[in-house]
Amino acid sequence: QTPTLWFCVKRHDEIQSFQPETYYCLTAYTTKNGVSLPLEWDRGQIFDQMVALTFRDIVQENNRPLKVTDISSKEERRVRPQALNTVAMLKLASTSLGMGPQQTM
């Protein structure tokens, strides 16, 4: 059980040492036939405020029309993480790291 305890302690230390960082997101909306539609930006989060403001100003500049370059849809499912008991740890070490049970324990 020592390796499992080590994983738990390591995760606890990571959580305790976490330092939040300020980030910015751009969210744009368009309206068609009275229905508001949110637009997603592929870059996700921006950690530099000046860059975020620059992109915002470009989008808002003169209310010029924007061009849609790609439309995609996806369904995403996330599997619930498995609890790390000894069996799960051995399986994870075997599949992810290629380690045998003796080496893992």
Side-chain angles (χ1 to χ4, degrees), residues 16-55:
Q16 293 300 317
S17 64
F18 175 75
Q19 295 294 320
E21 189 174 351
T22 302
Y23 65 90
Y24 305 89
C25 295
L26 291 178
T27 306
Y29 294 90
T30 186
T31 304
K32 180 159 182 152
N33 298 331
V35 177
S36 181
L37 176 69
L39 305 174
E40 293 183 9
W41 192 39
D42 284 341
R43 290 187 67 177
Q45 302 167 345
I46 304 171
F47 293 94
D48 186 356
Q49 183 180 19
M50 291 307 297
V51 172
L53 293 174
T54 301
F55 281 116

Side-chain angles (χ1 to χ4, degrees), residues 75-90:
E75 183 175 322
E76 185 176 318
R77 291 184 181 212
R78 296 184 69 192
V79 179
R80 183 175 9 158
Q82 200 176 30
L84 274 182
N85 57 27
T86 305
V87 174
M89 181 193 64
L90 289 171

Side-chain angles (χ1 to χ4, degrees), residues 56-73:
R56 184 202 62 190
D57 294 342
I58 290 170
V59 171
Q60 290 180 341
E61 183 178 285
N62 298 327
N63 282 332
R64 65 179 187 201
L66 301 176
K67 179 181 177 185
V68 176
T69 58
D70 184 34
I71 298 174
S72 63
S73 65

Side-chain angles (χ1 to χ4, degrees), residues 1-10 84-87 89 105:
Q1 298 286 346
T2 302
T4 305
L5 178 61
W6 178 81
F7 282 121
C8 293
V9 170
K10 182 180 175 194
L84 274 182
N85 57 27
T86 305
V87 174
M89 181 193 64
M105 294 304 277

